[in-house]
Amino acid sequence: MISRQPGVCGLNNLGNTCFMNSVLQCMSNCPPITDYFLSNKHKRELNTTNPLGMKGEIARVYGELIQAIWSAKYETINPLPFKIQVGKFNRNFSGFQQHDSQELLTFLLDGLHEDLNRIKTKPYIELKDSFGRCDKELATEAWENYKKRNDSIIVDTFHGLLKSRVVCPECERVSVTFDPFCHLSLPLPLNKDRIINVRYIPFDGNKNERNFRVTVPRKGIIRDLCEELSARIGCKADHLLVAEIARSHFHKFYFNEDCLDNIDEKDFIFVYELPLIQTQAAAFNEAEVSNQVIVPVCFWEKLKHIDKFAQNHLFGIPILVAFPRTSISIAEIHNILKEKMKRYFVFENKVGSDDDIHEDRKLKKSVNKGNLNKRYFPLFTMDSTMSALNPVPLQFVDNVFNFKDVTTENYNRRCFGRIALIVQMSAEERRQHYREKTAEYAADLILSKSSFLSHRDNKKIDILDCISLFTTCEKLSADDAWYCPACQKHQRATKKFDLWKLARILIIHLKRFSYSRCRHDKIDSLIDFPVNDLTLADYLTNTEGPNIKYDLIGVCNHYGTMRGGHYTAYCKNKRTRKWYCFDDSSVSVLKSEESIVTPAAYVLFYMAKEEESPSPTCSSVH
């Protein structure tokens, strides 16, 4: 444990508070703001009457924490007093759930600013029309207006100015505004397409299964996947059914209009070919005219002395079987099943006899069209020769599986009418007849998963590519339309951001967490960023501004997924000039600067080089 160095101090994890600890360590290693609190200037500028503030409590408790961290008296500190005050003024952080460190950072900077705002009474500012005025005039006016209402150490240290240019597509009116920013949230450039690895199961049991890497639009639908695969296998897209398999049963079926976002990289995706006379629509809609019904079939190894069905006793890859919508004998069922099962099972060439058919004629009612539509299908066992399927009385499997995303209205459509057929066998019968391909399938799927991850995540992205994407002109969506004062209506205008004034400490948030209607996901691509001499001169619209160069002073890292993860921080101590890894209460020296740049980097803290860019004055905008 590194100890007794000012600023080199761990923070106890109070229960999922690593997100908070990582932010506090990065903020602690921002020299301008830390020097301010160590010199007790915050006590003189405390604003306890600001209605937008926290009565000075956030600034007060933060100052106490910073002074303890830099006292060189402690190896670790309990940040509970700070946590209590944060939860008091923001209920989202009151419990002990995992949260986003960038969201806490935003709240902390805003809270410190309002608690330390030197403006006691904020004046009313009347905005002027920007039409026809030069950028320099607009920027100066915008910054001065902002400082009339917002003047604190946080503004002096962390705030910059963005230029926003909006153009109406109809009248071509140009609107330019300048807005302060406290951090840059940069999008990550990604391919518009994604790779989904699937296993194709031909309907003909004599044809081999095949693995495919299918390229689909990132925001596409299941129909896109089916059409792309159909072109490669020579099968119509309407005769393909996409399914997710988990624990040897059909976990979920996908339909043409379902979002591809529903498919995660960990899902095992199978695409089943339906018979030529059967389409996806007919398979799921009993009202549609069809002379067949598609039934999912799973395989159950029945353990000795256990008569009750247990889902965890299923094995192998489930199949889809087409049965006629007419009365059918048990022997006929057996022959249909045997034909489909031979892809995974080896049987003797003994087939059910006419006697079997006559003996089981009384069971024909169990599998005729009427009972199929009533969602009943008997559970079958088999002997070692598969010469007959013997019914187990009073056992049905119409409600074996828990299908997700199913309502009462669409239950029949989504679950083949809730019919499911379970083929039962003993352990000895499984060993004798089953082609043990489970391990092979698992290996194929694991390989497919890793290849998908490498395709998506191993691409190296330069941070300047993220800046370029941030400053790229884009068309506004219909939900975010801009009101044009000339046309007097909302327009899907084009909008472009540019950097105008940069802050003394530049915070860059990498938008690794993507959100869509169907899914939330994390982007684990490696973003290459410089530790020293970052310059954004090429992206500054203000050509009269100084050529500021930045050195990295802190990184907030996130490991894991959106469902769960862990935060740490890499920070450079201003006194020792060494880089440290802060992992809650554990603190260690980093061996090299090269280890700082990892795919876990989430929030970057850069400080302007003092010798090349003197501290900007409160009114400086160029």
Side-chain angles (χ1 to χ4, degrees), residues 499-561:
L499 305 179
W500 184 268
K501 175 189 180 294
L502 297 178
R504 185 177 183 184
I505 291 183
L506 178 64
I507 300 177
I508 296 178
H509 163 229
L510 303 175
K511 298 174 72 172
R512 292 194 177 277
F513 298 114
S514 62
Y515 303 87
S516 67
R517 179 173 60 89
C518 302
R519 173 182 167 194
H520 298 169
D521 195 15
K522 182 190 175 186
I523 303 167
D524 291 320
S525 301
L526 174 64
I527 310 300
D528 189 20
F529 51 89
V531 176
N532 299 295
D533 296 326
L534 171 68
T535 178
L536 302 178
D538 292 341
Y539 302 94
L540 275 171
T541 305
N542 179 14
T543 57
E544 298 181 10
N547 182 16
I548 302 177
K549 290 187 177 180
Y550 289 91
D551 287 342
L552 190 71
I553 59 172
V555 180
C556 177
N557 301 301
H558 179 268
Y559 301 90
T561 66

Side-chain angles (χ1 to χ4, degrees), residues 238-344:
D238 286 343
H239 294 110
L240 296 177
L241 180 63
V242 180
E244 177 189 338
I245 292 177
R247 298 181 181 178
S248 298
H249 76 275
F250 289 103
H251 178 69
K252 184 175 183 179
F253 294 101
Y254 293 96
F255 298 87
N256 280 337
E257 303 306 318
D258 288 344
C259 297
L260 287 172
D261 277 345
N262 288 325
I263 297 179
D264 195 77
E265 65 265 15
K266 72 179 187 302
D267 297 336
F268 295 169
I269 300 302
F270 288 71
V271 179
Y272 287 81
E273 181 187 8
L274 298 173
L276 294 179
I277 60 173
Q278 183 73 283
T279 65
Q280 183 189 108
F284 288 96
N285 188 356
E286 294 190 7
E288 186 157 329
V289 177
S290 175
N291 61 358
Q292 289 183 326
V293 59
I294 301 296
V295 178
V297 178
C298 301
F299 307 107
W300 171 27
E301 179 182 331
K302 183 178 180 297
L303 302 182
K304 292 182 179 179
H305 311 299
I306 299 180
D307 293 329
K308 187 176 179 181
F309 172 79
Q311 188 170 307
N312 62 338
H313 296 160
L314 296 175
F315 69 93
I317 305 299
I319 61 176
L320 295 179
V321 178
F323 288 102
R325 289 185 183 271
T326 58
S327 296
I328 181 174
S329 70
I330 295 301
E332 291 170 325
I333 292 175
H334 163 254
N335 288 334
I336 294 174
L337 279 173
K338 180 181 177 182
E339 179 66 23
K340 289 301 176 187
M341 290 171 60
K342 66 183 180 182
R343 174 178 279 124
Y344 306 125

Side-chain angles (χ1 to χ4, degrees), residues 271-427:
V271 179
Y272 287 81
E273 181 187 8
L274 298 173
L276 294 179
I277 60 173
Q278 183 73 283
T279 65
Q280 183 189 108
F284 288 96
N285 188 356
E286 294 190 7
E288 186 157 329
V289 177
S290 175
N291 61 358
Q292 289 183 326
V293 59
I294 301 296
V295 178
V297 178
C298 301
F299 307 107
W300 171 27
E301 179 182 331
K302 183 178 180 297
L303 302 182
K304 292 182 179 179
H305 311 299
I306 299 180
D307 293 329
K308 187 176 179 181
F309 172 79
Q311 188 170 307
N312 62 338
H313 296 160
L314 296 175
F315 69 93
I317 305 299
I319 61 176
L320 295 179
V321 178
F323 288 102
R325 289 185 183 271
T326 58
S327 296
I328 181 174
S329 70
I330 295 301
E332 291 170 325
I333 292 175
H334 163 254
N335 288 334
I336 294 174
L337 279 173
K338 180 181 177 182
E339 179 66 23
K340 289 301 176 187
M341 290 171 60
K342 66 183 180 182
R343 174 178 279 124
Y344 306 125
F345 293 85
V346 178
F347 305 125
E348 296 180 11
N349 293 325
K350 184 177 179 181
V351 183
S353 63
D354 291 339
D355 292 337
D356 296 325
I357 298 177
H358 291 299
E359 291 175 4
D360 295 328
R361 189 178 301 278
K362 61 182 179 180
L363 294 173
K364 291 173 69 174
K365 294 182 180 180
S366 298
V367 292
N368 63 19
K369 177 179 178 180
N371 282 335
L372 281 174
N373 289 338
K374 291 179 181 178
R375 304 182 304 231
Y376 291 106
F377 209 96
L379 180 67
F380 290 99
T381 185
M382 65 181 228
D383 63 17
S384 59
T385 63
M386 273 295 291
S387 60
L389 290 171
N390 304 314
V392 179
L394 303 179
Q395 297 192 60
F396 302 95
V397 289
D398 62 315
N399 194 21
V400 171
F401 304 119
N402 294 319
F403 289 91
K404 292 184 177 181
D405 302 323
V406 175
T407 63
T408 302
E409 291 75 18
N410 67 7
Y411 204 100
N412 290 343
R413 183 177 68 88
R414 282 192 176 268
C415 302
F416 298 94
R418 289 181 70 182
I419 302 167
L421 174 64
I422 308 295
V423 175
Q424 169 191 315
M425 62 187 70
S426 66

